Amino acid sequence: MLYIYNKNTNPYFNLAAEEYVLKEFREECFMLWRNEPSIIVGKNQNTLAEINLDYVRQHKIPVVRRLSGGGAVFHDLGNLNFTFIVNEDVSSFSDFKRFTQPIIDVLRKLSVNAEFSGRNDITIDGKKISGNAQYYYKNRILHHGTLLFSSSITDLSAALKVRPVKFEDKGVKSVSKRVTNISEHLKEPITIEQFIDLIMNHIREQTGGSEMYEFTQEDIKKIEKLVKEKYSTWEWNFGTSPDYSFKNEKKFTGGTVEVNLNVEKGIIKDIKIYGDFFGKYDVSEVENLLKGVKHSEEEIRKVLSNIDMNDYFANITVDNLIEVMF
């Protein structure tokens, strides 16, 4: 088994690194890693329906889709992620307890009353400290989980804040649960670096291994290629969302605007704009311009910058219309 402490904190790189090790290595692997503030969404989720877009924009938080299913999670440097990659056939898939037990054992050594809960969580006194997910590829199982050690719970709840329903889709919805930090339950305080050492040493003792592996320059080059081609792209993080319908309404100085969208593979297939606003020309001209455009602020802004908004929406700005489209 390879043991990797990946000290890179870029979420695009780290999600790409998991895929790279899964698909390009043959050895089994245990990896620990952390991300700078970011939102990681499940493979089958509608990204826009899972995030507080205003908060994400304001704080410039990266949003990255992972290979595995399950719900959206907020990462920061107070959250430790662990990854097991093992060579086994699909019959072992969904055995979450097996991979979480070593983590629970470490926590119990620290006198923390952690236990496996529900389908894929670790809890302390009924509060969640770890969510887990899995992905299967050619007789290799990737299991990864979060460990809230000293994460900012306020930022977590704000970034994934439940909003009024704007979406109708078949995306897998995240389930909100009460959470807590491991650090709050320790009898003696330790740093997250000490916690990392405890977990890595325990796994190495348990699996009889000693060799730590560091990514080579060639590894890093290939991971960064995967970042560029996949993990940092709009197509992967937003465009692969399940098809959805979106509806939103806002009131501005120039009147009320209601937007109804049908989006397929991230592209606006149909759009209707209603409201009590005034305009010289028919708003259907704007609707036609937006059909076939990505449901992304950048692409919509490009289109709207080529028209005089006052011709269609008196006293309503490009920013106003974009605000109601997300």
Side-chain angles (χ1 to χ4, degrees):
M1 179 174 270
L2 299 178
Y3 306 93
I4 302 172
Y5 175 25
N6 171 19
K7 294 184 181 180
N8 194 313
T9 58
N10 180 300
Y12 302 112
F13 181 94
N14 290 339
L15 272 293
E18 281 194 309
E19 178 172 343
Y20 173 72
V21 174
L22 174 72
K23 295 184 176 179
E24 300 299 326
F25 287 31
R26 290 293 164 261
E27 299 93 337
E28 295 190 334
C29 172
F30 177 74
M31 182 161 59
L32 291 172
W33 48 286
R34 290 188 290 163
N35 281 334
E36 292 162 6
S38 50
I39 294 173
I40 312 301
V41 298
K43 182 186 176 184
N44 305 310
Q45 292 193 296
N46 175 359
T47 302
L48 285 173
E50 292 298 324
I51 64 177
N52 179 345
L53 191 60
D54 293 338
Y55 186 90
V56 166
R57 280 181 186 150
Q58 183 184 343
H59 293 85
K60 297 183 170 59
I61 298 173
V63 179
V64 194
R65 187 182 299 279
R66 63 178 183 266
L67 286 173
S68 62
V73 287
F74 176 80
H75 287 186
D76 63 11
L77 293 175
N79 171 70
L80 177 63
N81 303 289
F82 66 96
T83 304
F84 284 97
I85 297 172
V86 297
N87 296 322
E88 291 184 15
D89 64 39
V90 74
S91 63
S92 302
F93 192 71
S94 295
D95 183 0
F96 288 90
K97 192 167 186 181
R98 163 192 169 193
F99 295 104
T100 55
Q101 191 59 49
I103 306 298
I104 291 169
D105 292 342
V106 171
L107 289 168
R108 287 185 175 166
K109 280 183 185 177
L110 293 167
S111 300
V112 175
N113 185 29
E115 58 185 6
F116 184 74
S117 173
R119 185 183 56 158
N120 60 336
D121 294 339
I122 302 173
T123 59
I124 299 171
D125 299 332
K127 292 182 181 178
K128 180 175 173 177
I129 55 110
S130 173
N132 293 262
Q134 292 184 354
Y135 179 75
Y136 179 76
Y137 175 80
K138 293 186 177 178
N139 288 331
R140 276 166 76 79
I141 295 172
L142 181 152
H143 175 110
H144 50 192
T146 56
L147 286 166
L148 295 176
F149 185 81
S150 56
S151 192
S152 173
I153 302 295
T154 304
D155 289 348
L156 186 158
S157 57
L160 300 173
K161 189 176 177 183
V162 178
R163 298 176 298 157
V165 176
K166 296 179 183 178
F167 295 87
E168 288 182 16
D169 61 25
K170 293 180 180 176
V172 178
K173 301 293 184 288
S174 293
V175 179
S176 181
K177 294 182 181 176
R178 287 192 308 156
V179 297
T180 188
N181 275 314
I182 293 164
S183 59
E184 295 171 23
H185 301 268
L186 296 172
K187 298 221 169 132
E188 297 290 333
I190 60 171
T191 66
I192 193 164
E193 288 78 14
Q194 290 171 312
F195 186 56
I196 287 166
D197 288 342
L198 285 170
I199 291 176
M200 185 61 79
N201 291 338
H202 179 79
I203 298 298
R204 287 165 70 185
E205 285 169 15
Q206 203 181 47
T207 52
S210 59
E211 289 296 315
M212 293 293 291
Y213 181 85
E214 288 192 22
F215 289 130
T216 65
Q217 285 305 309
E218 186 63 22
D219 291 333
I220 291 168
K221 188 176 170 184
K222 289 178 179 176
I223 293 167
E224 286 175 344
K225 183 172 186 281
L226 197 52
V227 170
K228 185 178 178 183
E229 294 177 354
K230 181 174 181 177
Y231 282 92
S232 65
T233 66
W234 178 90
E235 284 75 14
W236 171 249
N237 294 319
F238 291 88
T240 55
S241 293
D243 299 346
Y244 57 88
S245 298
F246 171 93
K247 180 179 179 179
N248 198 16
E249 183 178 355
K250 295 233 176 200
K251 188 168 185 175
F252 305 107
T253 307
T256 299
V257 179
E258 179 189 317
V259 171
N260 291 262
L261 299 173
N262 285 320
V263 179
E264 296 176 14
K265 294 183 171 61
I267 305 295
I268 298 170
K269 291 299 181 184
D270 196 22
I271 175 170
K272 291 298 294 178
I273 302 172
Y274 304 102
D276 60 4
F277 53 85
F278 297 101
K280 285 188 273 185
Y281 304 128
D282 198 304
V283 75
S284 63
E285 294 177 22
V286 178
E287 292 169 348
N288 288 332
L289 285 172
L290 290 170
K291 285 177 186 173
V293 173
K294 291 177 183 176
H295 189 201
S296 81
E297 179 180 339
E298 184 182 359
E299 296 299 315
I300 291 169
R301 192 177 289 279
K302 277 184 196 172
V303 171
L304 297 179
S305 67
N306 292 321
I307 64 172
D308 185 338
M309 286 289 286
N310 266 313
D311 286 346
Y312 302 94
F313 308 92
N315 295 314
I316 291 172
T317 66
V318 170
D319 285 341
N320 291 154
L321 191 56
I322 285 174
E323 188 182 336
V324 81
M325 290 184 72
F326 291 93

